[in-house]
Amino acid sequence: MISKLITSASKKGISLWVSLLLLLLIMLAVTWYFDEGIEKKVQHRVEQELTDLLENKKQFLNDEVQKYRNYINFLIETPPIQGISRAQRNQGIDPKDSTTTEQWKNRLAKIFSSMMYTYSEIDQLRLIDSQSGDELVRTDRYGGLVTVQPQSKLQNKAQRNYFTETILLKERRIYVSQIDLNREHGEIVYPLEPTLRLAAPVYNEQNELFAVLVVNIDALLLIEKLKQISLASAQFLLLSNDGHFIYHPDETLRFSKDLANQQTWQSNYSAQPWSEPSMLLVTQKDTNLELLAKRTALFVASNSEGGQIQGVTMLPVAQYEDYLLQSRASVYSLMLVIGTIFMLGLLALWVYFRNNQQLLEARSQLADIINGASDGIIGFNEQLEIISHNAAAERFFPELQTMNDKSYRALKDYIPEDYIHSTLYNVTHKRGLEVLEVQTELVGEPRDLELSASPIRSADEKLLGFALFIADVTDQNKAKAEIVKMNASLEFQVEQRTLELDVAKRKAEESSKVKSAFISSISHEMRTPLNGILGTLELVRREPLSPQQGNYLDMMSTSAKTLMRLINDVLDLSKIEAGKLDIDERPFNPLEVLEHVTSSVSVKAQQKGIDYMLDAVDVMYLMLQVMVVALNRYYTT
């Protein structure tokens, strides 16, 4: 249900925070609902605790009263009781064994004393004459001593309630009084002696009432035992049937019937119904302290409502609120932990569905991409069953559209079985995968298909199968054939062009050889007349000449030598082509070269009316290492 809501919310674009807010509101509503349950549970717990407490006290009190009844029943069956009755009817002598009344009384007193020594809660035992109300036998406890009272201290109890009500009871019925303060001669005994009285009528052998047996119980011990059956924070009260306090935590209110008759439950407390029907919300009038009270009858005497003792247990409202706070803290802490786990679970579920949705979208996109691909894709599992394929694969292999058999054999007319088996083997053993090209017909046209494969693995690298890729390479093969044809044509053209270049090269080489031969021949032919000119100039120089004529001869000689150098340079071309030219580097004086060049050029400058001067101030070096011939040719030019 929750997962559907999350999925729906995710599809509708509802944000995570809105969803968490809705869940938070739901949790608050659930918390409010549970809070009412917690409050009712705590109320029931308080009611149950107080009820159990009162029930335990009631059970204890009834057990104690039953024990006291057993005391009376035991004493009634002792021989002195009936012995006294027989002696009184026969002038003070028991006809059965001639025992006197006084002897029977002494024996009964001894039994009383022995019993009081045995049971410390018994404060007094008495046998009272039913006709006169005079005490016949009486044994009292003073401190730690048990004393038999002499005849002179015996009293008449004919007007006491326990006597007047007991003589009306039938045989074997026992009267139980309220817990009140003991009185002697009508006065309250101090120190106070809280007393519970049990009395039983004693019938003689003729079934005639002749005496009343009374047991006084130390109620203080009884109350202390009742107090021990309590909660640490609870208050315990004992009330008479008319609302007077028998016991109260406040000592001034204890035994209010005897000591402060105006102090009652009604005068000290105001009560109203509480959430639990059997409980009361009580307010102490003098302190305004609010308490939760449970009130019930702990004991009712068999003869009269006067023997009713009511118990009240009260718990402060603050304590109840502490219980409620603890319960809420415990439950809310658990709810917080559960809620946190729940919220984290929902968050994880949200993330899971969001990621799942993204995965589905990615798968959908991938499926669209795969279906839109021009290459066919077929998925095989390890049993060589076809698990998926795209639209392009259906175009290549129409059997995929209607096949019922998922086995690879459905494609046996197109793909060799050996290729399928070898591919699975290679994928399983992580070997290289083979590429195969097959031929088939599509729409009546022959087509070339290239088959390749790739392994399919899970996220933990477990092999799931392999994917077979089918590519239509018909057009590629045609293009390859055209490329091969074009390459062959180009190679032929290159060979033809290479042959033409070789022919042209040979022709150029032959022309170069002819040119070199011509230059070499003409250069040699020019050197011969030039040497003649130089020789003639030397002969003329031997004749007497004027300075001007000598100067002209020097210029002619220089020009002829320069021409000779030029002719030698032309001859050097053949050496350059053969790679045999030697570089002639030697030291020379730049000023001499400059003066030589100036003297050669100055004649022409003079003919043209041009002033020609040589400025050699900036010549910094008087000796250089250089190709002298090339430098002379440069300056001359």
Side-chain angles (χ1 to χ4, degrees):
M1 179 69 179
I2 294 175
S3 62
K4 292 181 179 179
L5 289 174
I6 293 176
T7 304
S8 176
S10 177
K11 290 180 179 179
K12 292 180 180 179
I14 299 176
S15 69
L16 173 62
W17 298 112
V18 173
S19 300
L20 292 179
L21 180 60
L22 291 175
L23 290 174
L24 181 60
L25 293 176
I26 293 173
M27 290 186 66
L28 289 176
V30 171
T31 302
W32 176 80
Y33 173 78
F34 272 100
D35 189 72
E36 288 189 347
I38 293 170
E39 191 169 356
K40 289 181 179 179
K41 185 176 180 181
V42 173
Q43 290 172 359
H44 179 71
R45 171 192 169 187
V46 170
E47 191 272 339
Q48 191 63 43
E49 285 184 354
L50 297 182
T51 299
D52 292 343
L53 192 60
L54 285 175
E55 286 299 322
N56 291 336
K57 292 178 183 294
K58 182 176 181 179
Q59 184 63 43
F60 172 77
L61 185 58
N62 279 275
D63 290 344
E64 290 295 304
V65 171
Q66 184 59 44
K67 182 172 67 172
Y68 306 151
R69 284 174 172 171
N70 292 337
Y71 296 164
I72 290 181
N73 291 329
F74 169 75
L75 292 172
I76 289 177
E77 296 299 329
T78 58
I81 298 292
Q82 293 300 325
I84 293 173
S85 175
R86 289 193 300 270
Q88 284 182 341
R89 291 197 312 270
N90 294 279
Q91 290 80 37
I93 297 175
D94 187 356
K96 191 173 183 178
D97 57 2
S98 301
T99 303
T100 64
T101 301
E102 291 301 322
Q103 289 175 331
W104 280 124
K105 289 181 179 181
N106 292 332
R107 291 178 184 178
L108 183 59
K110 289 181 180 179
I111 293 173
F112 283 176
S113 299
S114 177
M115 195 168 187
M116 291 177 66
Y117 277 119
T118 303
Y119 302 106
S120 59
E121 64 267 27
I122 301 176
D123 273 350
Q124 189 180 74
L125 287 171
R126 290 174 290 172
L127 185 66
I128 302 173
D129 185 271
S130 63
Q131 300 299 321
S132 63
D134 293 331
E135 294 176 339
L136 300 176
V137 180
R138 173 178 169 179
T139 307
D140 293 322
R141 184 190 302 276
Y142 294 102
L145 298 177
V146 176
T147 304
V148 178
Q149 296 298 329
Q151 185 67 31
S152 60
K153 290 189 176 183
L154 297 180
Q155 302 175 29
N156 184 278
K157 300 296 183 179
Q159 304 303 317
R160 299 300 298 271
N161 289 339
Y162 59 85
F163 177 79
T164 58
E165 293 192 20
T166 303
I167 60 177
L168 300 176
L169 298 177
K170 294 180 180 181
E171 189 176 10
R172 297 295 178 184
R173 298 296 298 275
I174 298 176
Y175 164 87
V176 180
S177 72
Q178 282 282 3
I179 298 176
D180 56 11
L181 297 179
N182 189 30
R183 294 173 181 265
E184 294 294 342
H185 305 288
E187 299 293 332
I188 296 174
V189 176
Y190 288 92
L192 299 177
E193 295 180 359
T195 303
L196 174 67
R197 298 174 183 83
L198 285 82
V202 179
Y203 287 80
N204 59 21
E205 294 170 351
Q206 284 73 33
N207 201 26
E208 297 173 347
L209 179 64
F210 88 94
V212 173
L213 182 61
V214 181
V215 178
N216 286 10
I217 301 297
D218 184 359
L220 191 58
L221 293 176
L222 183 62
I223 292 173
E224 288 297 325
K225 292 179 180 179
L226 286 173
K227 285 169 54 180
Q228 293 175 5
I229 307 172
S230 182
L231 297 174
S233 56
Q235 296 183 16
F236 170 61
L237 282 70
L238 281 177
L239 303 177
S240 64
N241 62 325
D242 56 3
H244 283 95
F245 298 111
I246 298 173
Y247 172 79
H248 192 284
D250 185 355
E251 293 184 2
T252 61
L253 298 178
R254 294 175 187 174
F255 306 105
S256 62
K257 186 173 184 179
D258 294 320
L259 300 176
N261 191 54
Q262 75 280 5
Q263 297 291 343
T264 63
W265 167 265
Q266 294 82 358
S267 66
N268 283 270
Y269 296 95
S270 61
Q272 58 183 352
W274 193 51
S275 301
E276 285 289 326
S278 62
M279 298 279 291
L280 295 174
L281 178 59
V282 176
T283 303
Q284 195 169 0
K285 293 181 178 180
D286 57 347
T287 62
N288 290 325
L289 177 65
E290 290 187 333
L291 304 106
L292 300 176
K294 176 77 173 181
R295 180 173 177 175
T296 188
L298 297 184
F299 180 79
V300 179
S302 59
N303 61 308
S304 170
E305 290 187 359
Q308 186 183 78
I309 300 176
Q310 293 189 350
V312 181
T313 52
M314 298 189 297
L315 188 72
V317 172
Q319 184 64 41
Y320 158 74
E321 292 175 348
D322 286 344
Y323 286 164
L324 186 60
L325 181 61
Q326 292 173 8
S327 296
R328 282 174 173 163
S330 177
V331 173
Y332 291 163
S333 297
L334 180 60
M335 288 182 64
L336 179 62
V337 173
I338 295 174
T340 302
I341 296 173
F342 181 72
M343 296 287 279
L344 291 176
L346 287 181
L347 183 61
L349 195 61
W350 178 280
V351 173
Y352 167 77
F353 279 107
R354 185 187 64 182
N355 293 340
N356 189 50
Q357 182 181 0
Q358 293 176 350
L359 179 60
L360 290 176
E361 292 176 355
R363 287 180 176 177
S364 177
Q365 294 175 1
L366 182 61
D368 292 340
I369 293 172
I370 292 175
N371 281 326
S374 59
D375 293 346
I377 303 174
I378 303 175
F380 294 88
N381 60 17
E382 292 184 287
Q383 288 73 40
L384 294 180
E385 295 177 341
I386 297 174
I387 57 177
S388 63
H389 61 273
N390 66 348
E394 293 182 356
R395 292 197 304 271
F396 295 141
F397 310 122
E399 288 80 1
L400 294 175
Q401 300 177 8
T402 59
M403 72 171 189
N404 295 322
D405 184 12
K406 293 185 177 181
S407 173
Y408 71 97
R409 293 185 178 87
L411 305 177
K412 63 181 180 179
D413 295 338
Y414 306 97
I415 304 174
E417 294 186 21
D418 292 343
Y419 177 76
I420 298 293
H421 285 285
S422 63
T423 300
L424 178 62
Y425 179 83
N426 293 335
V427 166
T428 304
H429 295 82
K430 297 182 179 180
R431 295 187 176 184
L433 299 177
E434 179 184 359
V435 178
L436 178 66
E437 190 171 307
V438 297
Q439 293 183 340
T440 184
E441 288 190 3
L442 293 178
V443 197
E445 296 183 2
R447 307 296 292 180
D448 298 332
L449 302 180
E450 184 182 81
L451 307 179
S452 59
S454 176
I456 300 175
R457 301 185 185 277
S458 64
D460 56 356
E461 293 299 318
K462 181 181 178 182
L463 182 66
L464 302 178
F466 65 90
L468 185 66
F469 301 96
I470 305 99
D472 187 352
V473 295
T474 304
D475 294 338
Q476 296 179 15
N477 289 344
K478 289 181 180 180
K480 287 180 181 178
E482 291 294 330
I483 291 172
V484 170
K485 185 177 179 181
M486 291 178 63
N487 287 340
S489 175
L490 290 173
E491 288 178 358
F492 176 76
Q493 293 178 11
V494 169
E495 290 178 356
Q496 291 295 110
R497 186 62 178 167
T498 300
L499 291 174
E500 293 176 359
L501 291 174
D502 287 341
V503 172
K505 179 182 178 183
R506 285 195 296 272
K507 289 181 179 181
E509 290 177 349
E510 290 177 356
S511 298
S512 178
K513 289 180 180 179
V514 171
K515 179 188 68 174
S516 298
F518 172 76
I519 292 174
S520 177
S521 175
I522 195 64
S523 297
H524 284 287
E525 292 297 329
M526 290 175 67
R527 291 173 67 181
T528 301
L530 186 57
N531 288 329
I533 292 173
L534 291 172
T536 302
L537 290 174
E538 288 296 327
L539 293 175
V540 174
R541 189 181 297 277
R542 293 176 183 175
E543 294 296 328
L545 299 172
S546 64
Q548 185 67 27
Q549 291 175 338
N551 189 26
Y552 290 154
L553 285 176
D554 289 337
M555 288 189 291
M556 291 177 64
S557 176
T558 301
S559 297
K561 290 180 181 179
T562 299
L563 181 61
M564 179 63 73
R565 292 190 189 94
L566 293 174
I567 293 172
N568 289 334
D569 289 341
V570 172
L571 291 176
D572 288 340
L573 288 175
S574 60
K575 293 182 181 181
I576 292 172
E577 291 176 356
K580 296 181 179 180
L581 178 63
D582 294 329
I583 302 300
D584 184 13
E585 292 184 359
R586 58 186 178 181
F588 80 102
N589 190 337
L591 290 177
E592 291 181 358
V593 175
L594 291 174
E595 290 175 354
H596 172 69
V597 172
T598 299
S599 61
S600 300
V601 177
S602 61
V603 177
K604 291 183 179 182
Q606 187 177 6
Q607 292 174 355
K608 293 180 179 182
I610 298 172
D611 293 333
Y612 180 77
M613 293 183 296
L614 174 64
D615 184 2
V617 176
D618 293 330
V619 177
M620 299 176 62
Y621 301 98
L622 298 179
M623 187 63 65
L624 295 174
Q625 188 79 9
V626 73
M627 293 176 61
V628 178
V629 176
L631 184 62
N632 288 335
R633 184 167 64 251
Y634 170 77
Y635 281 117
T636 303
T637 303

